[in-house]
Amino acid sequence: MLDLKMENGIATITLNRPDVYNAFNDALSYELQDALKKAEKDDTIRAVVLTGAGKAFCSGQDLKAAQDSTGPRNLGESLHKRYNPIIRAIRNMPKPVICRLNGVAAGAGCSLALACDVIIASENASMIEIFINIALVLDSGSSYFLPRSIGYHRAFELATKATKLSAAEALALGLVNKVVKHEELDAAVQAEAAFYAAAPTKAIGMLKKMLTKGMTENLDAVLEYEAYCQEIAGNTADNAEGINAFLEKRKAVFTGK
């Protein structure tokens, strides 16, 4: 249901249920949790790519699988056990997570994409917060990421009308970083992942936390946290290498340490 490839400092996680557009059943959600843990714990991994097999990125919850499960489903419990740990793992990952948005991202699949640090989309991709079509509300972090990305009023519209956005429309709204021709998607994602796999990983990890705090904390709290993180960054091997490379007029070779 999930493929995990780890090589050249990059972990590529592929949701692999193409027959149902990579919709989540229980097993896939737990496999993704495990894959993210492995990527985080492996010190050789310095960037993570998240994508889907076939035509879709992820179509959200597999409603048929949910209906086939025995007994009534507690949706709140399902979020606590299955989806929320995935979103937290991506956001707490001390490494950049790149979304290879190869096709539709719907519902929790849209949330999954929005939780990533960089989104590179195929021109064939689309995004839709489809929850309202079955009288449900945003979950898996969408109510956090969406208004922070595009503002309250556009977020309200997308959430309440389940408006499907093309890749170009998502780019115009600032929901994705880049849109490329579908046949160029692999090369674009590989270039992005290679860039981050050669970057100062510890500083990148702290920047993730800093930017999240910057969206939610007051200025004084952010200034304090910047000073705290800068002290740590200033004592890394990569900082020393960066300074030496600058003085020696050469390209820095970062090791992520």
Side-chain angles (χ1 to χ4, degrees):
M1 289 188 188
L2 181 148
D3 295 327
L4 173 61
K5 182 175 72 174
M6 304 171 85
E7 60 183 16
N8 300 322
I10 303 165
T12 301
I13 302 172
T14 305
L15 308 180
N16 193 13
R17 301 186 73 213
D19 53 320
V20 289
Y21 299 102
N22 303 314
F24 278 107
N25 59 9
D26 287 4
L28 180 58
S29 60
Y30 292 125
E31 286 184 25
L32 181 52
Q33 289 182 30
D34 290 341
L36 290 167
K37 287 176 184 175
K38 288 178 182 176
E40 178 177 352
K41 291 179 180 178
D42 192 324
D43 290 338
T44 68
I45 296 302
R46 295 166 64 187
V48 178
V49 174
L50 184 58
T51 191
K55 295 181 179 180
F57 174 69
C58 176
S59 59
Q61 171 63 37
D62 186 335
L63 296 180
K64 187 177 185 301
Q67 289 296 110
D68 291 345
S69 62
T70 58
R73 197 171 186 87
N74 184 316
L75 297 185
E77 182 180 14
S78 180
L79 287 171
H80 285 307
K81 289 184 176 180
R82 297 174 56 226
Y83 290 105
N84 292 354
I86 291 170
I87 302 305
R88 288 193 178 102
I90 293 172
R91 296 313 311 149
N92 293 329
M93 177 83 66
K95 307 164 187 183
V97 180
I98 301 162
C99 173
R100 176 185 175 273
L101 194 64
N102 56 303
V104 66
C110 188
S111 303
L112 187 66
L114 292 176
C116 295
D117 301 300
V118 175
I119 304 175
I120 300 179
S122 158
E123 62 184 0
N124 297 342
S126 59
M127 305 179 83
I128 178 171
E129 296 285 13
I130 204 166
F131 299 96
I132 197 66
N133 282 357
I134 54 172
L136 290 180
V137 298
L138 300 179
D139 67 25
S140 306
S142 268
S143 66
Y144 179 91
F145 298 113
L146 197 62
R148 283 171 170 78
S149 298
I150 62 175
Y152 170 83
H153 295 97
R154 292 310 301 270
F156 180 84
E157 180 182 10
L158 296 183
T160 57
K161 293 184 177 180
T163 307
K164 187 174 185 179
L165 298 174
S166 68
E169 290 169 332
L171 179 65
L173 285 174
L175 284 173
V176 304
N177 295 81
K178 184 185 299 185
V179 175
V180 299
K181 293 180 179 178
H182 189 74
E183 60 270 22
E184 297 172 359
L185 182 61
D186 285 337
V189 171
Q190 178 58 35
E192 195 81 2
F195 170 84
Y196 282 111
T201 311
K202 284 190 176 181
I204 298 288
M206 286 188 287
L207 276 168
K208 284 183 65 166
K209 291 185 176 181
M210 290 170 67
L211 291 172
T212 299
K213 279 185 175 291
M215 294 191 297
T216 57
E217 299 280 358
N218 62 47
L219 176 60
D220 285 338
V222 169
L223 290 173
E224 287 298 321
Y225 193 65
E226 285 179 347
Y228 168 77
C229 290
Q230 197 69 293
E231 177 66 20
I232 296 171
N235 285 298
T236 62
D238 278 345
N239 173 245
E241 164 62 10
I243 293 172
N244 287 335
F246 175 80
L247 295 175
E248 295 166 9
K249 295 181 172 57
R250 60 175 174 82
K251 183 177 175 61
V253 179
F254 296 118
T255 61
K257 299 178 181 178

